[in-house]
Amino acid sequence: MNHMAEKEGVVFIGTKPPMSYVLAVVTQFREGNKIVQVKARGKAISRAVDVSEIVKNRFLEGLKIGTIKTGTESLKGERGDTINVSLIEIPLIKDDEVIKQKPKKKEEKKE
Amino acid sequence: MNHMAEKEGVVFIGTKPPMSYVLAVVTQFREGNKIVQVKARGKAISRAVDVSEIVKNRFLEGLKIGTIKTGTESLKGERGDTINVSLIEIPLIKDDEVIKQKPKKKEEKKE
């Protein structure tokens, strides 16, 4: 809907301690991203929630968690067998930028 | 908004294999619940997503996943220390009831 492209970052959660991903998320916001997608699959999903909660509660005030999506990915095993793995995507949204940009309302009114 | 109270069930995810929780969820829908909240904390969060995906993909057609909530709970340790644990709540919504109520769709249009 918004014609203004939001700068969006992604952090994939693996097996490292949560704090390393927390720092990655905070860094991506500092680099100018307004949304950072925290993505994980399988057992790392719990850690993705931990990371999002830590960023929200301890590092960035006014951060909002957007609509969390889940899904299933089918991976092919070596013997042709299929393994289903769950996915999660947690969008972290820094909305103070939105407030700052509200003033410029009608930039150009195409006729 | 809806003045009709929806029957709502809850399944808490622990350390058992996912299938036992899948059965618990399916049973709660059979008992007449329209919403079943799948709740978990800590490492069980990944399993909660697995359970929801399995129910959606393999057991109940037309099931929808509502707005997933996350949170943090502070537990007190024995020595007065505080441990923060992440939470998740995944609402599974069976909407065939809605479809059933649409019924008068002129089933027989043959003249």
Side-chain angles (χ1 to χ4, degrees):
Chain A
M1 285 303 175
N2 208 329
H3 85 287
M4 178 177 57
E6 299 278 353
K7 263 194 88 184
E8 191 171 316
V10 180
V11 172
F12 290 97
I13 305 299
T15 54
K16 292 182 203 164
M19 271 305 167
S20 39
Y21 303 109
V22 169
L23 289 178
V25 171
V26 172
T27 304
Q28 293 214 0
F29 278 120
R30 287 224 182 101
E31 286 169 352
N33 292 292
K34 288 167 191 172
I35 300 176
V36 176
Q37 295 277 0
V38 175
K39 298 189 181 186
R41 58 189 193 188
K43 287 187 183 170
I45 287 174
S46 312
R47 197 170 299 120
V49 175
D50 289 342
V51 168
S52 307
E53 287 292 313
I54 294 171
V55 172
K56 194 184 77 171
N57 297 334
R58 291 204 250 155
F59 288 86
L60 294 171
E61 273 185 49
L63 192 83
K64 290 195 177 165
I65 295 182
T67 305
I68 299 173
K69 288 183 197 158
T70 60
T72 302
E73 194 174 356
S74 294
L75 303 176
K76 278 208 171 167
E78 289 176 3
R79 299 168 200 168
D81 51 332
T82 307
I83 300 163
N84 290 322
V85 184
S86 299
L87 309 171
I88 199 165
E89 290 182 20
I90 308 174
L92 303 183
I93 303 162
K94 199 179 162 187
D95 68 347
D96 54 7
E97 292 294 326
V98 177
I99 295 162
K100 273 184 203 162
Q101 281 170 10
K102 247 185 187 171
K104 289 186 203 168
K105 233 180 173 177
K106 23 185 173 175
E107 291 174 40
E108 32 177 10
K109 216 181 182 182
K110 281 185 187 171
E111 294 155 332
Chain B
M1 284 306 175
N2 209 331
H3 85 288
M4 179 176 56
E6 300 279 352
K7 263 192 87 184
E8 191 172 317
V10 180
V11 172
F12 289 96
I13 306 299
T15 56
K16 293 184 204 164
M19 271 307 166
S20 40
Y21 302 109
V22 168
L23 289 178
V25 171
V26 172
T27 304
Q28 294 214 359
F29 278 121
R30 288 224 182 99
E31 286 169 354
N33 292 292
K34 288 169 189 167
I35 300 176
V36 176
Q37 295 278 0
V38 176
K39 298 189 182 186
R41 59 188 193 187
K43 288 187 181 172
I45 287 175
S46 312
R47 197 171 297 119
V49 175
D50 289 343
V51 169
S52 307
E53 287 291 312
I54 294 170
V55 173
K56 194 184 76 170
N57 297 333
R58 291 203 249 157
F59 289 84
L60 294 172
E61 273 186 49
L63 191 83
K64 288 195 179 165
I65 295 182
T67 304
I68 299 172
K69 287 183 200 161
T70 60
T72 302
E73 194 174 354
S74 294
L75 304 176
K76 278 212 172 166
E78 289 176 5
R79 298 170 201 164
D81 50 335
T82 308
I83 300 162
N84 290 320
V85 184
S86 300
L87 310 170
I88 199 166
E89 288 182 22
I90 307 174
L92 302 182
I93 304 161
K94 197 178 166 190
D95 68 348
D96 57 8
E97 291 296 326
V98 177
I99 295 162
K100 270 183 202 161
Q101 282 168 6
K102 252 185 185 172
K104 293 176 193 166
K105 201 187 166 188
K106 300 178 195 171
E107 292 172 37
E108 16 176 22
K109 206 183 174 182
K110 282 178 188 173
E111 294 156 332

